[in-house]
Amino acid sequence: LVSEQEIGALESAIDRAESELPALKSFVLPGGCRAAAVLHLARTVCRRAERKLVLLAQSESIREEAVRYLNRLSDTLFVLARLSNLRAGVADVPWLSGRNSS
């Protein structure tokens, strides 16, 4: 079972990583260095699991902590991806409305 302490640990990890990162000024596209790309992929899988758990909660009894944990985990993966890019000297790719498509 997921505990409040485990959710708090993820929130602390987010805070530590964000303390090294510049503030976001736009949405960020997945990618960058290999580590960041893998973390972005893991975040995508985590978000999918979160959506499926929310859907399951419509018909089954689900502990709210489980949904919160997956949400915090996906946010942790996102900031770790950004931190990986920063440490590798690779810029995040900002999403620019109408300019990121081929």
Side-chain angles (χ1 to χ4, degrees):
L1 298 175
V2 176
S3 70
E4 288 294 328
Q5 185 176 14
E6 290 166 315
I7 295 167
L10 289 176
E11 290 172 348
S12 294
I14 292 167
D15 291 343
R16 284 191 307 276
E18 284 184 332
S19 72
E20 295 184 45
L21 293 168
L24 279 176
K25 295 182 178 155
S26 69
F27 288 109
V28 173
L29 295 175
C33 70
R34 181 164 174 76
V38 170
L39 287 162
H40 280 299
L41 178 61
R43 177 177 182 252
T44 300
V45 172
C46 187
R47 284 284 192 215
R48 185 180 315 135
E50 180 185 0
R51 288 190 306 270
K52 288 184 183 252
L53 190 59
V54 168
L55 184 62
L56 180 63
Q58 294 175 3
S59 61
E60 299 290 330
S61 176
I62 301 295
R63 293 187 66 230
E64 190 259 335
E65 293 88 349
V67 177
R68 286 184 42 232
Y69 181 84
L70 285 176
N71 179 271
R72 296 287 76 201
L73 178 59
S74 65
D75 288 349
T76 303
L77 294 167
F78 176 74
V79 296
L80 290 177
R82 290 190 63 224
L83 188 58
S84 293
N85 277 336
L86 178 73
R87 290 180 177 172
V90 176
D92 285 322
V93 180
W95 179 83
L96 304 171
S97 178
R99 292 189 271 168
N100 287 110
S101 60
S102 303

